[in-house]
Amino acid sequence: MSRACRAVLLRLVVSGLVLAAGCGGTSPAAHPSAATTVHMAEYSFTPADLTVPSNTKLTLINDGTLIHTYILRGIGRGTADVQPGKRVTLDLAGVAPGIYQAFCDQAGHTEKGQSGTITITP
Ligand SMILES: [Cu+2]
């Protein structure tokens, strides 16, 4: 191998290490969104799957033309009706870390795909 080749190889190795270090190393295999804002529309949440620390305040924005809600299944926490064009805050204080299904409780919306997951980390 030529000296120039070795130099290129070394640079690739070094930049690879820098990239690996920049990734943090504590992320799960998937890449869930770290956003704390969820956009609602017909019939979706964006992002559908997100991961937040415990005690986060989520912002829910209704970009659609119908009323939507964002409810965590099974624990009685979620928004009231969010009117089109409005935003509300959902305080997750006291919600135990875990993975929760999120859905819109307006008739038919979950069935049309308006659901997702929220993972709350300790
Ligand atoms: Cu909805």
Side-chain angles (χ1 to χ4, degrees):
M1 184 184 296
S2 73
R3 183 177 297 237
C5 245
R6 261 200 297 272
V8 167
L9 202 58
L10 184 62
R11 267 200 293 277
L12 286 174
V13 168
V14 169
S15 59
L17 288 174
V18 169
L19 284 174
C23 277
T26 57
S27 309
H31 292 282
S33 173
T36 57
T37 297
V38 177
H39 292 265
M40 307 187 289
E42 294 80 41
Y43 294 90
S44 62
F45 296 130
T46 306
D49 304 305
L50 71 163
T51 298
V52 299
S54 55
N55 301 313
T56 293
K57 286 183 170 70
L58 277 187
T59 300
L60 291 307
I61 302 173
N62 187 348
D63 293 329
T65 57
L66 302 173
I67 290 170
H68 295 293
T69 65
Y70 187 87
I71 313 288
L72 276 59
R73 189 174 297 282
I75 63 167
R77 296 288 287 270
T79 68
D81 291 354
V82 183
Q83 300 293 328
K86 299 296 184 187
R87 69 172 59 200
V88 300
T89 298
L90 175 60
D91 190 349
L92 297 174
V95 177
I99 302 173
Y100 299 90
Q101 298 292 322
F103 68 100
C104 175
D105 73 354
Q106 298 297 293
H109 290 201
T110 299
E111 291 74 9
K112 290 173 179 169
Q114 198 172 18
S115 65
T117 65
I118 180 165
T119 300
I120 300 177
T121 60

